[in-house]
Amino acid sequence: MPASSTMLLFPMSSECVQRQGVLEGTQGSLEPNLKRGRLLVLTGPSGVGKGTVVRQLRQRHPELYFSVSVTTRSPRPSEQEGVNYFFRSREEFFRLIEAGELLEWAQYAGNFYGTPRDAVLDKLSQGQDVLLEIELAGARQVSQHCPEAIRIFLSPPSLQELERRIRERGQDSEASIERRLQQAQQELDAQDEFDYVIVNDDLEQALLQLETLLYPKWPEPEVPAT
Ligand SMILES: Nc1ncnc2c1ncn2[C@@H]1O[C@H](COP(=O)(O)OP(=O)(O)OP(=O)(O)O)[C@@H](O)[C@H]1O
Ligand SMILES: Nc1nc2c(ncn2[C@@H]2O[C@H](COP(=O)(O)O)[C@@H](O)[C@H]2O)c(=O)[nH]1
């Protein structure tokens, strides 16, 4: 599978950024260069290790704001309300869509998932980097609304390993595992749409690659010889 790392320059005039300006009242103000946070989007097939990578990344970079999504899926035994997800009924989820409270949303493996809009835009406008861990359709919506987002695709070393990981995790029903694996090929086919692809083979290596691209260390300026 290809592993690319293509740096793109993002236009700063997107609906996402303008909206922040409107919300914050800074458009046309004397502080047009107010530092905004970066919107980071991590996508990849179910079981590739997104959650595992995100947990580690957050431990190393507690300043990163992780967006807690809303879902209609039932909680897994280890999951907590407001920590892993906001667990909501379908009626409530559709109300949130109608009210424009979701930055993006998608149906995935029989359930609905969405990103609360205001929390994300508030953090960005306060200069905090925001991380979304979302599936492909949602990532595409974010690209449309927020083209300055940095989009990263986490890819498995092979489909066999992906299946092994989902099964070994032991958190999903057989029906759900099959739906997730069916979806996986379509997601892998779209990885070239992303700014970066990281293969999660060795976890530590994958984390290092992610950290290197998110927090590049600029070369030290050369000290002129005296
Ligand atoms: N590099 C790796 N090598 C081996 N196992 C891994 C690696 N990364 C993650 N795993 C394991 O794979 C399983 C799936 O990981 P995780 O739950 O983080 O995936 P995910 O992409 O977040 O899935 P989902 O999208 O369904 O939430 C877990 O049991 C995790 O411990
Ligand atoms: N489009 C969105 N996708 C989301 C969001 N939150 C999570 N997800 C993705 O859904 C699948 C399944 O998650 P699981 O917790 O049931 O395994 C996975 O790819 C998540 O990344 C969201 O807000 N929007």
Side-chain angles (χ1 to χ4, degrees):
M1 279 171 221
S4 67
S5 57
T6 317
M7 179 62 93
L8 295 183
L9 291 172
F10 301 105
M12 292 306 285
S13 59
S14 71
E15 181 192 337
C16 191
V17 171
Q18 283 174 3
R19 212 187 118 96
Q20 289 169 50
V22 171
L23 280 176
E24 208 183 24
T26 56
Q27 267 192 335
S29 79
L30 293 174
E31 290 187 288
N33 293 325
L34 213 63
K35 181 183 170 293
R36 295 188 183 284
R38 297 173 298 171
L39 183 57
L40 316 170
V41 179
L42 184 68
T43 302
S46 178
V48 70
K50 300 181 299 297
T52 307
V53 165
V54 164
R55 266 193 301 281
Q56 301 265 352
L57 191 71
R58 291 177 70 194
Q59 277 179 8
R60 296 182 193 190
H61 300 276
E63 73 283 2
L64 196 58
Y65 175 77
F66 176 71
S67 163
V68 178
S69 298
V70 184
T71 185
T72 62
R73 170 167 77 61
S74 306
R76 292 169 179 150
S78 61
E79 290 179 330
Q80 286 175 36
E81 165 71 16
V83 175
N84 305 94
Y85 283 107
F86 297 107
F87 296 97
R88 294 291 180 268
S89 65
R90 287 189 169 218
E91 290 72 22
E92 174 62 6
F93 193 92
F94 296 142
R95 191 199 66 73
L96 292 172
I97 297 174
E98 287 295 310
E101 291 188 27
L102 299 180
L103 184 66
E104 60 74 36
W105 64 273
Q107 188 170 18
Y108 180 91
N111 293 298
F112 290 90
Y113 299 82
T115 301
R117 175 186 292 263
D118 284 354
V120 169
L121 297 186
D122 285 353
K123 296 292 175 188
L124 289 173
S125 67
Q126 289 159 14
Q128 203 168 347
D129 290 345
V130 173
L131 176 62
L132 311 184
E133 187 220 304
I134 61 177
E135 53 69 68
L136 179 62
R140 284 177 169 154
Q141 291 168 46
V142 172
S143 295
Q144 282 195 335
H145 298 302
C146 312
E148 73 283 357
I150 299 174
R151 296 156 307 155
I152 303 150
F153 191 93
L154 199 62
S155 196
S158 68
L159 274 172
Q160 288 80 358
E161 172 62 9
L162 183 71
E163 179 164 359
R164 191 196 68 75
R165 287 182 193 174
I166 300 187
R167 292 193 181 283
E168 203 167 279
R169 180 171 68 182
Q171 295 277 320
D172 302 288
S173 66
E174 182 58 29
S176 176
I177 289 174
E178 280 168 20
R179 291 173 103 155
R180 287 162 186 259
L181 289 172
Q182 275 169 18
Q183 196 81 16
Q185 187 58 57
Q186 204 181 319
E187 294 171 302
L188 293 174
D189 288 345
Q191 59 186 309
D192 286 350
E193 293 175 22
F194 286 73
D195 303 315
Y196 300 93
V197 177
I198 293 177
V199 178
N200 182 21
D201 189 353
D202 176 77
L203 179 62
E204 194 52 40
Q205 282 300 316
L207 261 164
L208 200 64
Q209 286 179 34
L210 185 58
E211 265 192 307
T212 305
L213 78 87
L214 294 182
Y215 305 99
K217 286 196 174 62
W218 297 100
E220 295 289 323
E222 275 183 36
V223 181
T226 51

